[in-house]
């Protein structure tokens, strides 16, 4: 799947710079869609989140009640350190 590096970076910055160590997946999707000016659809963002979890940039945590939270994984920290 082709991915957009600017979207990957934006997501990692949002997760890594927050006041909590993880963000609820739905909240993250809504936040990215709103701040991008609708450049990225929620479906695009979801596909990128799946890509990022699959490649170790993020890890998915079970938040209970069927809600998932996302947290930076080691590769995500390394990615941000390179920028």
């Amino acid at each position: 799947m082709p991915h957009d590096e600017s979207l990957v970076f934006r997501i990692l910055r949002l997760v890594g710079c927050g006041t909590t160590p993880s963000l609820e997946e739905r909240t993250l999707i809504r936040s990215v869609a709103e701040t991008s000016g609708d450049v990225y659809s929620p479906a695009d963002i979801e596909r990128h989140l799946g890509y990022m979890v699959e490649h170790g940039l993020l890890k998915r945590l079970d938040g209970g009640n069927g809600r998932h939270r996302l947290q930076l994984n080691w590769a995500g920290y390394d990615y941000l350190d390179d920028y």
Side-chain angles (χ1 to χ4, degrees):
M1 171 190 109
H3 61 278
D4 184 336
E5 287 295 322
S6 65
L7 179 56
V8 170
F9 181 74
R10 180 181 296 219
I11 292 169
L12 289 175
R13 291 278 302 176
L14 279 171
V15 175
C17 294
T19 57
T20 60
S22 64
L23 288 174
E24 185 183 6
E25 190 167 356
R26 291 180 190 168
T27 302
L28 179 61
I29 291 169
R30 184 174 47 250
S31 177
V32 172
E34 289 174 359
T35 60
S36 72
D38 295 326
V39 171
Y40 304 110
S41 71
D44 290 337
I45 297 165
E46 275 189 77
R47 279 193 300 276
H48 275 72
L49 291 175
Y51 166 84
M52 294 167 74
V53 168
E54 181 181 321
H55 289 87
L57 297 168
L58 296 173
K59 58 183 166 182
R60 189 172 274 132
L61 308 170
D62 183 19
N65 297 329
R67 296 182 174 187
H68 297 285
R69 297 186 68 80
L70 294 167
Q71 183 176 30
L72 281 181
N73 207 355
W74 289 111
Y77 284 110
D78 290 342
Y79 187 98
L80 288 175
D81 284 345
D82 289 341
Y83 285 94

